[in-house]
Amino acid sequence: MTSTPALQGFGLSDLPRVPLRPEHEEALRRAREVTLGEGAWRHCKLSTVRDLFALEQISERMEVIAIDPSTELRAIVRLRCAVPCLPPGATDLVVEDEVELALHLPEEILRGPLPGYALVAILKPFHVHHANVSSGPSQRLCLGANVPRSYPLREAVLASYGAMTMQSVTLDTRDPAGLMNAEAADWWQQNLHRIPLSRVPFLAPLTADAKRDCARGESS
Amino acid sequence: MTTPRLHEIHAETTPTLAAARRLDPAARMPAFLDVPREARQALREIDVVAIGAGSVGLATIQAVAPLGPRSLTIVDPAAFKAESLLTHASLSHRDIGRPKALVAGVRAKAASPRSRVFVFEGPFEALPIPLIARASHLLVATDGLRVELRIAQAALHLGAELIQGSVWGPGLVAHVRSLAATEDGSGPSLCCAFTRDEWQQADDGSVFSCAGGPELESAWAPSRAPTASVAPLCAAAGNLVALELVRRVLGIGDRSESRQIELCAYDFRTTVSHLMRRADCPLNHQRMRLLPLAGGLGAQTPRDLLEQSGYGDADPKRVTLTVEGRRFAKLTACHCHAHEVLERFVSMEGPAGACPRCTTPRTVHPLYTFSEVTAAVLGSQLDRPLAKLGARAPASVRVRGDRGACLIYRDLPESGVPEEIAG
């Protein structure tokens, strides 16, 4: 993954003010042409598209790979972060350094909360070993007991980053909120010392320090 | 939660007296003041869906059935408990443990043998669309705000009038919200009257189980508090709902008015207030055109459906189809990155089998899987019957475009409930 230097001076609360790069402006213009639905829903999708582009511009760790706001909003984003995996046959955790997330924002989000696993699935890597990620081909990431009405997709990206790096994780097998893989939860209960995999914030640059931090999970 | 069950109550299965079957429904109908005589017939031409058969709902159903509606569908997923005896004036100990919808349905059929009475022992969200689509009136007596949101959305889409009954026990208040159906969606929805606290409750009251993974998506479990009230108050609320139905059907007062009625038994004061549409109501107020089809939808091609809904000549990028209970998967995803073309309607959750190349389980590709799919994405599949595309017998298909939405559904035949609707 090649990353474009992040725009400086903007925080997560400044997303609407982030000036988009020309290619993102062009993508947003195309999105306006193809976006279907009622006014409020169209507006929600377009502001989400803009949010994701702005998020990409202020963080070196995120890249929007594809986005389709025509009906439901679907997008694929790549995050540069530590990702815990346990491929078949592996004897120890393998920490990958990037993840592809499939994001899905259905119109129902305007009307009520959705299940915590309704918005994010992991396309790559395979065999993610995480208490909040379902095993099997769909690898859904659960962000909690539910996601509230009108939950912004940018929050789902940030929550996914927190989950992947294990800065935020639910391991209690008696608490169904967010738990998707009880076996992984048990494993992590026995390996609490490896949590978090990284302490690097989402907006931190991709520095050598950050990379060393990412490697903690592998070496410990 | 047990599997939802839909069935029709037939006269021979109820303890209906032979005399009741011969009854003329108009025998005791009063000559309403300022209501034309022929207007009374309208009461027997309504199709009512009653959601909730608890303390208020059962009273509503028992008051509505003798009016002789053309059809009455009763929806409730729960069974009566011993405590139900405390809030239901007409319940007996024999009803404890029996499904509420079934008890209410048997009583309704006994009171109105000529009405078609359907019983759905399941949540409103699972009620087959053909049963909702035929409704002229939705009567609501539920105890969950989230389900009320869904009911309110259905009423707006289908253009059904909605009357909700509820009680506030501590204040001895019976409460009715009565929503008119408007052609242009300019009227309020049930949720336009929600207070900030009610929205908060609707949001907080939704708990989804992750325990078994994604397959439990629909098994959300709203938190529900039992009705705390006295039986006569519940009965009063139910009767008020039924009276408001009579008013609306007979055209007494302004039919286009939406209003809220409160009867406080502390001082027997009644308050009536107008309900207005809220500009920021999150529900979609657009009314759908309804298009019942006599046969199954599986034999229809997407192009047939576009044409029948008036979108045959529309820009394929600007018109969409939503097949009930299915989503269209253009590509799959698996370990070998082949992204095999699938181009079929698949179940909402089911995996798409094994990849023929790498043999690992594949899933539908999230970027190329659509609950609502444009005609452009369907592309070469537009002329194949839905059954061949993986949607064997959908109960309904929604077509949406720049000129609004159209709901095409399998009509309910007179002969009974087809399997594809009963599920």
Side-chain angles (χ1 to χ4, degrees):
Chain A
M1 176 177 171
T2 56
S3 61
T4 310
L7 272 179
Q8 299 300 309
F10 292 96
L12 292 170
S13 57
D14 303 319
L15 289 183
R17 293 194 301 109
V18 172
L20 294 187
R21 289 199 294 265
E23 64 268 28
H24 286 158
E25 283 289 5
E26 174 58 18
L28 189 58
R29 188 193 61 75
R30 284 200 305 273
R32 281 193 199 99
E33 285 176 4
V34 301
T35 300
L36 304 176
E38 296 300 296
W41 175 225
R42 268 205 316 273
H43 180 264
C44 170
K45 287 190 285 185
L46 290 172
S47 65
T48 302
V49 171
R50 195 190 189 287
D51 270 358
L52 293 179
F53 286 149
L55 208 52
E56 175 182 326
Q57 288 187 202
I58 65 169
S59 172
E60 293 176 7
R61 296 170 188 281
M62 179 192 157
E63 184 185 358
V64 180
I65 307 293
I67 198 155
D68 177 4
S70 54
T71 52
E72 312 112 303
L73 192 151
R74 289 173 301 275
I76 295 181
V77 301
R78 188 177 292 148
L79 292 184
R80 184 76 178 265
C81 63
V83 187
C85 297
L86 197 63
T91 53
D92 194 14
L93 197 70
V94 176
V95 180
E96 300 285 353
D97 60 5
E98 63 179 41
V99 63
E100 271 186 25
L101 303 177
L103 307 177
H104 173 236
L105 192 70
E107 191 173 352
E108 289 72 35
I109 194 80
L110 294 180
R111 287 165 209 140
L114 294 176
Y117 49 82
L119 305 187
V120 185
I122 295 172
L123 277 181
K124 283 192 283 186
F126 307 114
H127 310 298
V128 172
H129 190 59
H130 195 293
N132 306 138
V133 177
S134 65
S135 55
S138 61
Q139 296 202 116
R140 291 209 195 181
L141 170 60
C142 190
L143 303 176
N146 65 31
V147 287
R149 182 163 52 93
S150 298
Y151 185 72
L153 210 50
R154 62 173 183 270
E155 299 290 341
V157 172
L158 297 172
S160 301
Y161 180 83
M164 286 297 98
T165 54
M166 306 203 72
Q167 294 171 20
S168 160
V169 63
T170 307
L171 295 177
D172 187 350
T173 51
R174 294 161 302 177
D175 177 5
L179 195 72
M180 298 290 275
N181 184 339
E183 197 181 322
D186 280 340
W187 190 94
W188 281 104
Q189 285 280 11
Q190 291 159 30
N191 289 274
L192 288 173
H193 62 283
R194 301 174 84 153
I195 296 176
L197 285 181
S198 165
R199 288 194 170 84
V200 179
F202 180 76
L203 291 183
L206 291 171
T207 60
D209 279 343
K211 285 173 186 163
R212 205 165 44 237
D213 198 353
C214 279
R216 260 187 79 240
E218 289 174 270
S219 57
S220 54
Chain B
M1 187 183 291
T2 54
T3 307
R5 215 159 70 96
L6 169 69
H7 47 103
E8 183 167 3
I9 305 283
H10 296 285
E12 57 271 22
T13 63
T14 65
T16 309
L17 294 172
R21 296 190 198 189
R22 289 194 300 271
L23 265 180
D24 173 9
R28 290 287 186 275
M29 191 63 75
F32 296 105
L33 300 175
D34 297 330
V35 175
R37 191 173 183 77
E38 60 273 17
R40 293 175 232 165
Q41 176 63 23
L43 281 170
R44 292 192 292 282
E45 291 169 357
I46 58 174
D47 295 291
V48 175
V49 173
I51 306 132
S55 49
V56 176
L58 183 61
T60 302
I61 291 159
Q62 288 186 306
V64 166
L67 300 173
R70 181 167 49 211
S71 73
L72 178 56
T73 301
I74 299 160
V75 183
D76 200 307
F80 285 114
K81 300 188 288 268
E83 290 80 5
S84 304
L85 292 168
L86 305 173
T87 52
H88 295 67
S90 62
L91 218 56
S92 84
H93 67 277
R94 285 191 300 275
D95 298 317
I96 295 167
R98 297 181 67 205
K100 291 180 178 181
L102 183 63
V103 170
V106 169
R107 291 183 184 197
K109 189 68 182 180
S112 181
R114 295 180 194 209
S115 302
R116 288 190 80 181
V117 176
F118 301 97
V119 163
F120 185 67
E121 297 164 32
F124 174 77
E125 301 88 307
L127 181 65
I129 281 184
L131 282 161
I132 314 169
R134 65 186 287 137
S136 57
H137 295 82
L138 301 180
L139 307 184
V140 183
T142 53
D143 49 10
L145 289 167
R146 181 143 168 88
V147 69
E148 286 172 15
L149 267 169
R150 290 171 184 252
I151 296 166
Q153 184 61 80
L156 290 169
H157 277 333
L158 304 172
E161 294 185 317
L162 184 155
I163 308 173
Q164 181 199 34
S166 58
V167 292
W168 181 50
L172 281 182
V173 175
H175 190 261
V176 173
R177 284 171 179 160
S178 175
L179 285 306
T182 53
E183 284 294 332
D184 58 358
S186 59
S189 74
L190 185 62
C191 303
C192 289
F194 272 17
T195 61
R196 186 186 298 264
D197 282 350
E198 282 175 310
W199 276 114
Q200 193 61 50
Q201 279 178 41
D203 290 350
D204 294 347
S206 303
V207 179
F208 302 87
S209 170
C210 295
E215 67 272 15
L216 290 181
E217 180 164 36
S218 60
W220 59 270
S223 57
R224 287 185 174 142
T227 304
S229 181
V230 290
L233 186 66
C234 298
N239 285 322
L240 282 176
V241 169
L243 277 175
E244 179 63 10
L245 177 70
V246 170
R247 274 186 84 253
R248 285 207 167 274
V249 175
L250 296 181
I252 299 170
D254 181 1
R255 269 190 86 161
S256 66
E257 182 198 28
S258 294
R259 56 197 207 134
Q260 180 169 277
I261 304 136
E262 282 181 332
L263 169 69
C264 178
Y266 259 64
D267 54 8
F268 279 107
R269 217 173 270 181
T270 306
T271 310
V272 180
S273 37
H274 298 280
L275 295 175
M276 310 283 284
R277 179 175 176 178
R278 256 173 53 172
D280 61 347
C281 176
L283 299 194
N284 182 340
H285 282 238
Q286 189 184 54
R287 187 167 176 171
M288 289 184 189
R289 279 179 296 128
L290 300 178
L291 191 59
L293 289 187
L297 268 62
Q300 304 281 325
T301 67
R303 196 184 300 283
D304 291 338
L305 299 172
L306 292 174
E307 283 168 3
Q308 288 170 58
S309 57
Y311 281 113
D313 57 349
D315 177 354
K317 288 180 182 162
R318 302 206 64 84
V319 60
T320 64
L321 287 95
T322 307
V323 176
E324 186 184 353
R326 315 293 283 180
R327 52 189 179 150
F328 186 74
K330 198 162 180 70
L331 297 180
T332 61
C334 63
H335 289 195
C336 72
H337 310 286
H339 296 339
E340 288 281 331
V341 173
L342 191 63
E343 295 198 321
R344 283 177 68 83
F345 287 96
V346 297
S347 73
M348 298 306 275
E349 292 305 328
C355 169
R357 292 194 196 182
C358 69
T359 69
T360 59
R362 62 182 176 176
T363 185
V364 292
H365 195 296
L367 192 66
Y368 300 100
T369 301
F370 310 82
S371 297
E372 183 179 13
V373 60
T374 62
V377 169
L378 283 167
S380 61
Q381 307 299 322
L382 275 171
D383 293 308
R384 296 187 70 200
L386 289 179
K388 300 263 186 204
L389 289 174
R392 191 177 62 85
S396 73
V397 176
R398 185 187 67 185
V399 181
R400 192 151 72 153
D402 294 334
R403 299 191 300 275
C406 176
L407 186 71
I408 304 172
Y409 62 95
R410 169 80 154 98
D411 200 11
L412 208 56
E414 286 302 315
S415 53
V417 184
E419 189 188 345
E420 66 204 70
I421 294 177

